[in-house]
Amino acid sequence: MKRKWLVLLTAPCLGTTTASAQSDYLVMSTLGSDTLVSECAKHRGLELDICSSYILGIFDALILSRAICPTPSGVATMQAVEVVQKYLRDHPEKWSQAPGFLVADPLKAAFPCRPRK
């Protein structure tokens, strides 16, 4: 099977992430899902830490790739961190996924783009 290589921030920019889609990519990240889940469980609010930094990096990459469309306000930044932290708490069965997918999936659900007319 031919493997495709991704850079850390390009993985979540892909379309819908399914189990088969994830298995087609080798994600190069120094941050493991277990570390992300552990850091995000520490409830430090919006302090700039590993959890919020990682989430906001993916958030920015998704915006730039037009994979998500948040409202143009600072509220979206705070909401992005909260959305992902809640998703991690509510879905422990997903913790085996690559960290990029753990962050991108709830962001795509929370900030969908409306089709252009």
Side-chain angles (χ1 to χ4, degrees):
M1 181 165 115
K2 191 175 181 181
R3 287 254 182 205
K4 299 172 188 164
W5 290 81
L6 297 181
V7 177
L8 170 66
L9 293 178
T10 60
C13 298
L14 302 170
T16 304
T17 56
T18 62
S20 62
Q22 289 181 40
S23 66
D24 290 341
Y25 295 93
L26 178 60
V27 179
M28 303 294 290
S29 177
T30 57
L31 180 71
S33 295
D34 56 338
T35 302
L36 178 66
V37 169
S38 172
E39 288 296 316
C40 288
K42 293 180 181 175
H43 301 293
R44 291 185 216 124
L46 291 176
E47 180 181 320
L48 193 57
D49 58 8
I50 291 171
C51 174
S52 60
S53 297
Y54 192 84
I55 291 169
L56 294 175
I58 300 286
F59 183 67
D60 286 344
L62 291 170
I63 291 169
L64 291 172
S65 67
R66 294 187 170 99
I68 63 172
C69 298
T71 59
S73 72
V75 175
T77 300
M78 296 184 302
Q79 187 181 5
V81 174
E82 292 168 357
V83 162
V84 174
Q85 288 177 329
K86 181 177 182 338
Y87 180 84
L88 293 175
R89 283 191 308 273
D90 294 349
H91 296 283
E93 74 279 3
K94 304 282 187 178
W95 293 355
S96 63
Q97 293 180 348
F101 293 109
L102 276 175
V103 173
D105 289 347
L107 291 176
K108 287 178 183 177
F111 303 103
C113 295
R114 293 188 177 125
R116 292 183 179 190
K117 294 181 179 184

